[in-house]
Amino acid sequence: MDIIVCVKHVPDTAEAELKIDASGKAVDKAGLVYDINEWDDYALEEAVRIKEKQGGTVTAITIGSEDSDSTLRKCLARGADKAIRLTDPKFAGSDSYATAKILHSVIKTMHYDLILAGLQAGDDGATAVGPILAEMLGIPHATMVKKLELATGTAKVNRELEGGLEEQIEVKLPALLAVSTGINEPRYVSIMGIRKAMQKEIKIMTLADTGLTEAEVGEQGSWTRIEKLYVPPAEKQAEPVTGTPDEIAAKIVDLLRSRGLI
Amino acid sequence: MAKLFVLAEHRQGQLRDITFEMLTKGREIAEKTGTELTAVILGSNVKEHAKALAEYAQAVILVEDPRLENFNSEAYKKVLQALIAAHKPLLIMMGHTSYGVELAPRLAAALSIPLATDLIDLAFEADQLTATRQMYGGKVNVKTVVRKAETYIATIRTATFTPQKPSPPANGQILETPSPLTEDIAEKRFLQYVLPPPGGVDITAAEKLVGVGRGIKDQANMPLMEELAKTLGAVLACSRPIVDKGWLPTDRQVGSSGKTVKPKLYLALGISGAFQHVLGMKSSDLIIAVNKDPKAPIFSFADYAVVEDLFKIVLPLKNKVNEAKAQKT
Ligand SMILES: Cc1cc2nc3c(=O)[nH]c(=O)nc-3n(C[C@H](O)[C@H](O)[C@H](O)COP(=O)(O)OP(=O)(O)OC[C@H]3O[C@@H](n4cnc5c(N)ncnc54)[C@H](O)[C@@H]3O)c2cc1C
Ligand SMILES: Nc1ncnc2c1ncn2[C@@H]1O[C@H](COP(=O)(O)O)[C@@H](O)[C@H]1O
């Protein structure tokens, strides 16, 4: 089974201090640490597990600048056979629609039985690339995939609905599946593994290789254009509890006691 | 009159809240744009739903077909393609839910209609759709302008707009429309609903919850969190990554894909406060959040903010609670 996995190299922002840059349209990326998008990590793992079970190939594909090579190397170290990076200054400003067009331009020339993507890109993602790409390729898709069982020509898929409920559906292969976190447990890669993967080739492609025009990609080729970023207004103002750890603990205890909670 | 479509969402015989949230926001946009607020409901035996929708919308388009009994994005796509071609609505709103996320991008791509997703606000400004959503786990809001078009598709974040029934009720006309589906959808089939495994612990019944998030860093720290919870007489709950990693069972997860809780105390430790989590706990009586990042979104939902390394707080807190309990007896 030949599997293509779409991966994105994204900044980890959970603990980082984000600053909106001078343009007001992006966050200042300086100092941010990048890694594979959380959802794509699960997609890649799922692909490698399928390959280990039934043979075939796994190709990781990304659109991104040279830094994204570290995410592709991680994929190669984890068991991907090939890696493709699509890169061009003209791709900047692409929304999910333009992103899907770029991915489509290359994937349509490749052989695949299954395409895996993440449900969403955790940075500026729109939860949209997967289904758009599937429509362009003319193949069925499913998102929020929590469980996957392959049979001949079909996949049985559990999609997560709200509140813990799931639905089981069946899609014909080839299909595109956008996975949720928790579908598996991504394996750990050793430094050795990553070093070994350094020898594997990453195929680089640019706008010229896609057959797309400049107007079809980037901001021009997108449905949405960023006007401005701003810090969300607080829903309520939390009261700060300050002091040494012991003082903070004592204040919390007072608070709980006053409410009869201890 | 041009139409504004709101796609009604229903499952297992129930209209879902997001439908009424969208109809409320949709009414405001329809008034401003001079469009007719039109609820669209696809299903099988859903006339009762159509009646409920008519109280909110000026018109209800009802398409019934046994093939629409359970949600299927391909079936929905085909029906909506036909309805869009017939009515050329200005805007189609659907929920940013497990259904909307499956359907909207694919429908948009099929018809080359611009799409904006997961919106917390939207408006037509000088004839152009502007759409607001969040990025970076809720740390930043972004206002985007959507490319000019005749029709737009937008998915709306749940629990963002408060539903309000118009008074008097809109009393919209129900337009029964024949299903354009001519055959079964072979490439994608609904099989069954799968219920979550029966839980050992019911976090929704707990008076006090200690919620732990990715900030606790390592599974080795779980016993410490459990001890704190026990000392407090609380039950341990968590954000999704903790369940994804297998550190706690699914029934402990708080949030949109987990449980909604309303305890007297929610102590959040190392939880950033992503929307999907907050949705499940923001109605708690007392929320105390410990997070080392002063900009963590959780602080705009908490009553008390402790900006500190949680590992510096947990032990002193446990000790002080024990002291307080000792004094009492
Ligand atoms: C369809 C869908 C459904 C989802 N459903 C849910 C759901 O039901 N429930 C849910 O929770 N999430 C859900 N999520 C995921 C959600 O978007 C977030 O990714 C998740 O809530 C983040 O969990 P977290 O806050 O534990 O981790 P992070 O966002 O990684 O935050 C960790 C926090 O810990 C803080 N921290 C780190 N170290 C320390 C320390 N030593 N001391 C103090 N603080 C520290 C950091 O500053 C950071 O704020 C869903 C996502 C999707 C797409
Ligand atoms: N730049 C990119 N390169 C490769 N894949 C991408 C890129 N952006 C998004 N994707 C894929 O599309 C999924 C959904 O992203 P999004 O629709 O942007 O939230 C991601 O999890 C990836 O699998």
Side-chain angles (χ1 to χ4, degrees), chain B residues 6-9 15 19-20 23 37 39-42 46-61 170-172 174:
Chain B
V6 169
L7 181 66
E9 185 168 320
L15 276 168
T19 309
F20 301 102
L23 283 167
L37 182 63
V40 176
I41 176 143
L42 318 184
V46 288
K47 289 209 173 58
E48 281 306 310
H49 290 341
K51 280 185 206 150
L53 296 168
E55 299 189 2
Y56 286 78
Q58 292 163 284
V60 180
I61 295 177
N171 207 2
I174 298 175

Side-chain angles (χ1 to χ4, degrees), chain A residues 247-260:
Chain A
E247 287 163 1
I248 291 172
K251 286 180 186 171
I252 295 176
V253 167
D254 285 344
L255 208 65
L256 299 181
R257 210 166 14 198
S258 71
R259 299 198 176 213

Side-chain angles (χ1 to χ4, degrees), chain A residues 158-174:
Chain A
N158 281 37
R159 294 191 65 230
E160 75 176 90
L161 308 174
E162 286 71 22
L165 186 69
E166 295 181 0
E167 66 178 4
Q168 189 177 50
I169 63 167
E170 188 178 66
V171 290
K172 283 213 169 126
L173 297 178

Side-chain angles (χ1 to χ4, degrees), chain A residues 5-10 37-40 43 61-64 86 95-96 99-100 103 116-133 178-179, chain B residues 133:
Chain A
V5 188
C6 303
V7 297
K8 188 179 182 188
H9 190 59
V10 301
N37 175 39
E38 191 181 347
W39 284 263
D40 305 347
I61 182 165
T62 195
I63 305 168
L86 285 145
D95 72 349
S96 38
T99 299
L103 291 170
L116 295 178
L119 169 66
Q120 68 173 37
D123 55 349
D124 53 3
T127 334
V129 167
I132 297 174
L133 177 58
V179 308
Chain B
R133 62 186 194 93

Side-chain angles (χ1 to χ4, degrees), chain B residues 24-294:
Chain B
T24 303
K25 182 66 183 174
R27 186 160 77 238
E28 174 198 314
I29 302 173
E31 275 166 15
K32 283 194 185 142
T33 53
T35 50
E36 185 181 47
L37 182 63
T38 307
V40 176
I41 176 143
L42 318 184
S44 176
N45 294 321
V46 288
K47 289 209 173 58
E48 281 306 310
H49 290 341
K51 280 185 206 150
L53 296 168
E55 299 189 2
Y56 286 78
Q58 292 163 284
V60 180
I61 295 177
L62 166 68
V63 181
E64 291 192 295
D65 188 317
R67 298 179 189 93
L68 295 169
E69 185 180 348
N70 294 296
F71 175 79
N72 178 328
S73 66
E74 276 307 299
Y76 267 58
K77 184 187 92 181
K78 291 196 167 128
V79 176
L80 285 169
Q81 274 179 318
L83 294 177
I84 292 166
H87 297 280
K88 303 201 170 46
L90 173 65
L91 173 67
I92 301 142
M93 293 167 81
M94 47 184 104
H96 194 77
T97 57
S98 55
Y99 289 169
V101 155
E102 182 88 346
L103 167 65
R106 180 127 201 175
L107 178 66
L111 295 176
S112 288
I113 295 177
L115 166 77
T117 55
D118 200 9
L119 304 186
I120 56 169
D121 202 8
L122 70 167
F124 283 88
E125 291 175 11
D127 243 20
Q128 200 146 8
L129 178 62
T130 62
T132 304
R133 62 186 194 93
Q134 297 202 305
M135 300 199 301
Y136 303 104
K139 281 192 162 178
V140 178
N141 282 8
V142 57
K143 188 173 170 189
T144 59
V145 180
V146 187
R147 182 202 279 185
K148 247 194 152 89
E150 260 179 43
T151 300
Y152 302 91
I153 301 180
T155 65
I156 310 298
R157 184 172 270 198
T158 53
T160 302
F161 302 108
T162 313
Q164 254 176 338
K165 203 187 230 180
S167 81
N171 207 2
Q173 196 193 351
I174 298 175
L175 310 161
E176 283 188 46
T177 307
S179 167
L181 296 177
T182 48
E183 51 197 50
D184 285 337
I185 308 292
E187 67 270 35
K188 190 172 193 175
R189 290 197 305 132
F190 172 89
L191 299 176
Q192 59 176 334
Y193 292 108
V194 182
L195 289 165
V201 174
D202 182 6
I203 56 170
T204 64
E207 229 182 42
K208 289 175 262 181
L209 289 173
V210 172
V212 295
R214 188 144 44 193
I216 67 160
K217 289 288 182 309
D218 204 299
Q219 188 166 20
N221 296 318
M222 285 302 293
L224 181 61
M225 304 300 145
E226 258 154 40
E227 272 171 49
L228 174 66
K230 217 166 131 198
T231 309
L232 277 166
V235 171
L236 201 58
C238 64
S239 67
R240 178 163 177 156
I242 303 300
V243 170
D244 287 342
K245 288 175 203 280
W247 298 354
L248 277 177
T250 319
D251 53 47
R252 304 289 183 110
Q253 184 184 317
V254 171
S256 61
S257 54
K259 301 261 174 62
T260 300
V261 297
K262 275 187 195 172
K264 291 195 173 139
L265 168 68
Y266 192 86
L267 176 63
L269 302 174
I271 291 177
S272 63
F275 161 76
Q276 291 94 345
H277 185 79
V278 167
L279 200 62
M281 49 63 81
K282 70 173 176 183
S283 315
S284 307
D285 290 349
L286 173 65
I287 300 171
I288 304 174
V290 184
N291 195 305
K292 64 179 184 187
D293 175 7

Side-chain angles (χ1 to χ4, degrees), chain A residues 179-206:
Chain A
V179 308
S180 284
T181 56
I183 184 176
N184 54 42
E185 269 182 62
R187 72 196 64 189
Y188 170 79
V189 258
S190 65
I191 305 283
M192 264 294 282
I194 294 190
R195 239 185 248 145
K196 261 208 202 128
M198 290 302 267
Q199 286 136 29
K200 291 198 190 167
E201 188 205 51
I202 291 175
K203 185 171 172 187
I204 310 288
M205 299 174 84
T206 64

